[in-house]
Amino acid sequence: MTAPEADLTGWSAAPFTAGGYTHDVYRKGKGPGVVLIPEIPGIHPGVLALGNHLVDNGFTVAIPSLFGEPGRPISPGYVLPTIARACVAREFAAFATDKQRPVSVFLRALARDLKASAGGKGVGVIGQCFTGGFALAAAVDDSVLAPVLSQPSLPLPLTPKQRRDAGVSRVELDVFADRAANDGLCAMGLRFSEDKMSPGERFKTLKERLGDAFEVIEIPSGAGNEHGFSKAAHSVLTDEVRELEGHPAYEARKRVVEFLTQRLS
């Protein structure tokens, strides 16, 4: 069995501008809003399948096309140049620690726009891989009630300091912590145990700062793990999902839907 995939059927695209940046945003569905931020290399078939799954579970989904070619399948010749371009883009500040990334302003504005159009008391934001920490940065805005950080990989974990970094600025993390303490806001974090791109030290930093307001799902991927995940397993909600009851990535995806439903309904 392979991971679920989908194409662009049923998705409508329109440009959205905020914070000095313009990106096409793909929308679909009815119900409370969820901003689904794609992973590298972009809105690939696995991301679209996740978007469709959220739509099927009663959400309005908005996917900003921050990089790559929407709908294009993953391949090494596609991934590597996309990573190279994203790493040097000022919008993402891929190597910086304690950094408020410019893309966060765009995403907060998109969250507010989605809340206004979809209705409801607020929206969820799912970030993945390169964009994982952007979900927490977006939750500085009051419109965001349910941030999900799936295998957050920025800043790129090349040094001990980068591995420990929360992926957001201290100011942003303080704002979220205040919202958690005063308004009951919570976040979710997902990773594979042996994922070097999304280091465990990063979740330790967030857990120490946020306590029970940060729910962690860590899927074992070490040698001899029950479900045969490789040490390179990375994409919890897309590439590693197998739609089988009891499969850890499938169960993690179910928990994300439950979290969004609880927080947004």
Side-chain angles (χ1 to χ4, degrees), residues 16-36:
F16 183 80
T17 300
Y21 296 96
T22 298
H23 297 288
D24 283 342
V25 175
Y26 288 74
R27 301 182 190 241
K28 189 177 185 180
K30 293 182 179 179
V34 176
V35 177
L36 174 58

Side-chain angles (χ1 to χ4, degrees), residues 6-12 26 28 43 48 52 63 69-72:
D7 58 25
L8 289 166
T9 300
W11 293 88
S12 61
Y26 288 74
K28 189 177 185 180
I43 306 177
L48 289 166
N52 283 346
I63 312 178
E69 179 184 333
R72 181 175 174 178

Side-chain angles (χ1 to χ4, degrees), residues 24-97:
D24 283 342
V25 175
Y26 288 74
R27 301 182 190 241
K28 189 177 185 180
K30 293 182 179 179
V34 176
V35 177
L36 174 58
I37 317 172
E39 59 196 355
I40 294 288
I43 306 177
H44 63 74
V47 171
L48 289 166
L50 176 58
N52 283 346
H53 181 71
L54 294 170
V55 169
D56 290 344
N57 278 274
F59 298 102
T60 301
V61 180
I63 312 178
S65 182
L66 302 180
F67 33 69
E69 179 184 333
R72 181 175 174 178
I74 296 175
S75 68
Y78 176 33
V79 171
L80 295 178
T82 306
I83 291 175
R85 287 192 293 271
C87 282
V88 299
R90 178 182 175 276
E91 189 175 7
F92 307 126
F95 299 95
T97 57

Side-chain angles (χ1 to χ4, degrees), residues 113 126 145 171 220:
D113 179 79
I126 300 175
L145 299 181
V171 171

Side-chain angles (χ1 to χ4, degrees), residues 60-200:
T60 301
V61 180
I63 312 178
S65 182
L66 302 180
F67 33 69
E69 179 184 333
R72 181 175 174 178
I74 296 175
S75 68
Y78 176 33
V79 171
L80 295 178
T82 306
I83 291 175
R85 287 192 293 271
C87 282
V88 299
R90 178 182 175 276
E91 189 175 7
F92 307 126
F95 299 95
T97 57
D98 188 17
K99 177 69 173 178
Q100 182 171 195
R101 291 168 169 80
V103 70
S104 63
V105 178
F106 174 90
L107 293 169
R108 289 170 199 153
L110 178 58
R112 290 192 298 271
D113 179 79
L114 182 58
K115 178 187 175 185
S117 61
K121 59 184 181 180
V123 303
V125 180
I126 300 175
Q128 306 170 87
C129 177
F130 200 83
T131 69
F134 300 172
L136 194 62
V140 168
D141 195 274
D142 289 344
S143 64
V144 179
L145 299 181
V148 178
L149 294 68
S150 192
Q151 73 274 359
S153 304
L154 292 190
L156 295 176
L158 305 179
T159 68
K161 183 178 180 181
Q162 288 168 327
R163 288 193 289 274
R164 292 192 302 268
D165 190 85
V168 295
S169 70
R170 293 179 197 174
V171 171
E172 289 169 318
L173 188 55
D174 285 347
V175 171
F176 183 88
D178 286 345
R179 292 192 68 199
N182 297 320
D183 304 327
L185 192 66
C186 294
M188 281 190 70
L190 317 169
R191 67 180 296 271
F192 284 98
S193 65
E194 307 306 307
D195 187 358
K196 303 303 183 186
M197 287 301 296
S198 183

